[in-house]
């Protein structure tokens, strides 16, 4: 009985792979350069923590920004390289949630606007990917 419960709990995490995450990013409209930037960070985390711990971490994001993207300067650089993509995603998120990006990032209001937008897009889309991969 315990084995069945344990297997049931772990089974959905099987779909959380680097390839699946990357493919989902392409499906939601991220361009190659943006995907590669995010994947570099995810691959580093995967290599550092191992498969199981990475899967649990990714599954547990729950609309939190991965620590690696908390760096305001990094987020600003990402925005400057991918501003069109970020702005497109912001518009989509505003439509989906019926909330302005400012309201969606109220807890981040002490940082640069560009960084806030990048962090919103990354946290929302990665969390959405995690949910999709569990189904």
């Amino acid at each position: 009985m315990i084995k069945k419960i344990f297997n049931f709990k772990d089974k959905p995490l099987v779909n959380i792979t680097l390839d699946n995450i990357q493919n989902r990013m392409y499906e939601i409209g991220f361009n190659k350069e943006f995907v590669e930037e995010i994947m570099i960070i995810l691959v580093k985390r995967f290599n550092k923590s191992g498969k199981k711990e990475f899967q649990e971490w990714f599954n547990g994001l729950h609309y939190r920004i991965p620590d690696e993207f908390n760096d305001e300067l990094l987020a600003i650089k990402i925005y400057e390289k991918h501003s069109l993509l970020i702005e497109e995603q912001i518009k989509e998120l505003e439509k989906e949630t019926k909330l302005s990006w400012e309201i969606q990032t109220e807890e981040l209001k002490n940082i640069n606007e560009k960084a806030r937008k990048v962090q919103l897009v990354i946290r929302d889309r990665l969390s959405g990917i995690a949910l999709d991969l569990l189904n």
Side-chain angles (χ1 to χ4, degrees):
M1 175 96 163
I2 292 174
K3 186 174 179 167
K4 285 183 181 180
I5 293 170
F6 183 76
N7 287 339
F8 176 75
K9 181 183 173 200
D10 286 348
K11 189 174 182 180
L13 297 181
V14 177
N15 293 325
I16 297 177
T17 66
L18 292 171
D19 285 341
N20 286 345
I21 294 167
Q22 182 175 349
N23 291 336
R24 287 292 298 133
M25 283 193 278
Y26 285 124
E27 288 172 17
I28 60 177
F30 288 178
N31 62 40
K32 185 177 193 266
E33 294 78 23
F34 190 71
V35 170
E36 286 174 357
E37 250 180 281
I38 294 174
M39 289 305 297
I40 287 169
I41 291 169
L42 295 180
V43 167
K44 282 182 187 176
R45 181 176 278 267
F46 180 92
N47 290 337
K48 180 180 174 187
S49 61
K51 179 181 174 182
K52 182 139 180 75
E53 191 175 313
F54 175 82
Q55 290 172 322
E56 290 170 357
W57 166 81
F58 193 82
N59 182 49
L61 283 176
H62 301 295
Y63 298 93
R64 286 179 286 131
I65 187 80
D67 292 340
E68 295 86 346
F69 295 101
N70 273 328
D71 181 339
E72 188 174 354
L73 293 176
L74 172 64
I76 292 169
K77 285 179 186 177
I78 291 171
Y79 181 90
E80 290 172 351
K81 284 172 72 176
H82 306 286
S83 60
L84 292 176
L85 173 73
I86 297 300
E87 291 299 333
E88 287 172 10
Q89 289 293 317
I90 290 293
K91 286 178 188 168
E92 286 296 315
L93 287 168
E94 288 178 328
K95 273 193 243 175
E96 291 168 14
T97 63
K98 297 183 181 23
L99 296 171
S100 72
W101 72 268
E102 292 95 344
I103 290 173
Q104 294 181 62
T105 60
E106 279 183 343
E107 77 284 1
L108 303 172
K109 61 183 155 192
N110 294 328
I111 66 170
N112 179 283
E113 182 177 298
K114 293 174 183 178
R116 286 172 68 186
K117 288 180 174 183
V118 168
Q119 290 179 355
L120 171 61
V121 168
I122 291 173
R123 81 174 183 205
D124 188 88
R125 295 310 190 204
L126 290 183
S127 295
I129 290 170
L131 289 172
D132 287 347
L133 293 177
L134 292 178
N135 295 324

